[in-house]
Amino acid sequence: MAFNPLNWLLGFFSLDIGIDLGTANTMVNVSGKGIVISEPSWVAIDKRTREPLAIGAEAKEMVGRTPANVLTVRPVRDGVISEFEITQAMLEYFIGKVHQQSIVPVPRPRVVIGIPAGVTKVEKRAVYDAAISAGAREVYLIEEPVAAALGAGLPINEIRGSMVVDIGGGTSDVAILSMKGVVVSRSLRVAGDELDEDIIQYVRNKYNLLIGQRMAEHAKIAIGSAYHLPKEKTARLRGRNLLSGLPEAIEVSSVELREAMSSSVQIIVDTVKDALDEAPPEIVADLMDMGICMAGGGSLLQGLDERLTNELNIRAWVAEDPMSCVARGAGIALENLPMWNSLFVGLGRDGRG
Ligand code: ADP
Ligand code: MG
């Protein structure tokens, strides 16, 4: 291609944005700056007009507290982009926010978006279209586990296997990669949200106490675990007693929460094991050196790394800043689009968006 000074200038000033469109959290990485936005993937809408009223952290605050005319939704829940218009509003808001942050007027950004593995063609198209109408100049889609591996610094372009387990809110994704390609992958709808649900159910059955989603998540983060702790802990839960109808606070222990979450945790462990079972032996040998990299907020559950290590006989380790791996990986892909071209999810014949 002939050198075009205009294009060169455009490239120099333009924004490159990596977005992790997670089921629980959206993270935005700007090349040269790092993570600039990290907000819950929540949108509050007017029930009648379906106009967005609040997006991100503000919308999450409203969850469980809305009046009759307001609805709070997570458009990417369970790894499925269910609400096109709402997803678009969310992308517009996040892309617009970054665009406004730059001091000089800049051309429309190039965007790489991490999307949940296993979304349908229609959904991919929807995200692509949403990003274009949200103001992106070029859009590339990358599957989240692949982006997570890139962001975690795994050598996925080399001729040896690496493995990533990304545990998010709605889905857990497992991928074994080699030579910029996926060798084995698994995706399941058991992840952080399900653990919260488990806690709600457990407390309801054992104590007749009804607690909210956020209370459950809070307890999980504070004292939840997947393996016995050196020192077990307790937390206070507040909710409504279902028998008396009155507010009540109780104390639960980390042992109880572990029991509450145990079958879901086991499902995640078994899925990782399944993926390993399917990997060719040369790759298994590689993984014995490198271990299994864990990413996503769910990987922060205490003792999950130990649990995996113990059950799989391969060392599992949590990536640095596991919640931002996907967005940072998308940023790395943007730095050298031709090099990572094979990783992008194709929408059309040319293999890009
Ligand atoms: P997604 O990619 O689906 O948006 P994230 O990677 O942002 O999801 O992870 C969100 C999930 O991680 C939530 O279920 C949240 O409760 C959980 N999480 C965050 N921090 C912790 C922690 N310290 N311990 C256990 N779970 C955590
Ligand atoms: Mg994620």
Side-chain angles (χ1 to χ4, degrees):
M1 212 165 37
F3 177 72
N4 178 338
L6 194 69
N7 266 346
W8 181 80
L9 258 181
L10 201 73
F12 195 73
F13 284 114
S14 88
L15 277 172
D16 281 345
I17 304 179
I19 301 179
D20 170 9
L21 200 57
T23 62
N25 296 295
T26 298
M27 302 241 175
V28 180
N29 184 85
V30 171
S31 296
K33 282 192 187 166
I35 302 288
V36 296
I37 296 176
S38 158
E39 289 202 51
S41 309
W42 279 97
V43 181
I45 58 168
D46 184 306
K47 244 184 201 162
R48 246 175 338 103
T49 62
R50 299 192 68 78
E51 280 295 312
L53 303 171
I55 296 174
E58 197 188 347
K60 191 180 181 184
E61 272 292 298
M62 298 178 180
V63 174
R65 298 173 170 150
T66 50
N69 61 325
V70 178
L71 191 67
T72 46
V73 283
R74 278 167 64 179
V76 202
R77 185 154 207 167
D78 294 335
V80 177
I81 291 95
S82 50
E83 310 257 4
F84 176 74
E85 260 118 48
I86 301 174
T87 306
Q88 181 180 339
M90 208 167 75
L91 276 175
E92 235 163 60
Y93 170 77
F94 289 125
I95 293 175
K97 211 168 167 178
V98 172
H99 215 189
Q100 280 162 17
Q101 280 175 3
S102 56
I103 320 150
V104 286
V106 289
R108 292 184 297 135
R110 292 194 304 181
V111 181
V112 169
I113 305 181
I115 52 164
V119 305
T120 65
K121 225 175 174 117
V122 175
E123 287 167 339
K124 285 172 196 158
R125 187 83 230 176
V127 173
Y128 177 86
D129 289 344
I132 290 286
S133 58
R137 169 162 53 97
E138 286 169 42
V139 178
Y140 304 85
L141 306 180
I142 186 169
E143 288 197 343
E144 277 167 4
V146 177
L150 206 53
L154 299 181
I156 64 171
N157 54 342
E158 291 178 14
I159 312 175
R160 57 176 168 145
S162 25
M163 180 168 189
V164 67
V165 178
D166 177 358
I167 304 169
T171 64
S172 297
D173 295 286
V174 184
I176 298 176
L177 303 131
S178 179
M179 295 184 281
K180 293 190 275 187
V182 177
V183 182
V184 178
S185 73
R186 283 279 187 289
S187 179
L188 81 156
R189 291 186 181 182
V190 177
D193 292 345
E194 192 73 21
L195 301 180
D196 302 343
E197 269 320 305
D198 290 343
I199 293 174
I200 293 174
Q201 282 299 334
Y202 180 91
V203 173
R204 190 188 177 127
N205 292 340
K206 186 163 177 185
Y207 297 103
N208 282 310
L209 185 73
L210 184 65
I211 60 168
Q213 252 173 44
R214 284 158 17 119
M215 178 68 63
E217 181 181 24
H218 200 80
K220 174 187 72 179
I221 292 175
I223 66 163
S225 61
Y227 203 72
H228 61 84
L229 299 174
K231 192 168 180 293
E232 300 291 350
K233 308 172 198 169
T234 60
R236 266 179 102 68
L237 298 178
R238 277 173 302 165
R240 179 158 47 89
N241 185 298
L242 287 166
L243 299 179
S244 66
L246 297 174
E248 192 180 73
I250 59 155
E251 193 118 299
V252 288
S253 71
S254 47
V255 180
E256 287 177 290
L257 291 199
R258 197 156 60 238
E259 183 189 329
M261 301 186 294
S262 70
S263 60
S264 297
V265 168
Q266 192 61 49
I267 292 173
I268 296 173
V269 174
D270 288 345
T271 304
V272 179
K273 193 157 179 278
D274 266 6
L276 260 181
D277 279 348
E278 215 184 282
E282 295 292 354
I283 285 195
V284 174
D286 295 339
L287 295 177
M288 289 175 75
D289 278 340
M290 201 171 342
I292 301 170
C293 171
M294 299 163 68
S299 70
L300 290 167
L301 183 69
Q302 285 182 72
L304 189 54
D305 47 354
E306 271 174 282
R307 174 79 176 269
L308 281 169
T309 302
N310 247 295
E311 291 207 22
L312 305 177
N313 213 17
I314 291 184
R315 184 177 56 98
W317 50 281
V318 179
E320 208 184 310
D321 196 3
M323 286 176 89
S324 69
C325 283
V326 172
R328 285 185 290 119
I332 291 169
L334 268 167
E335 277 163 24
N336 194 344
L337 288 170
M339 165 150 172
W340 301 110
N341 192 44
S342 66
L343 295 179
F344 298 125
V345 173
L347 291 168
R349 249 170 296 124
D350 61 353
R352 57 170 231 184

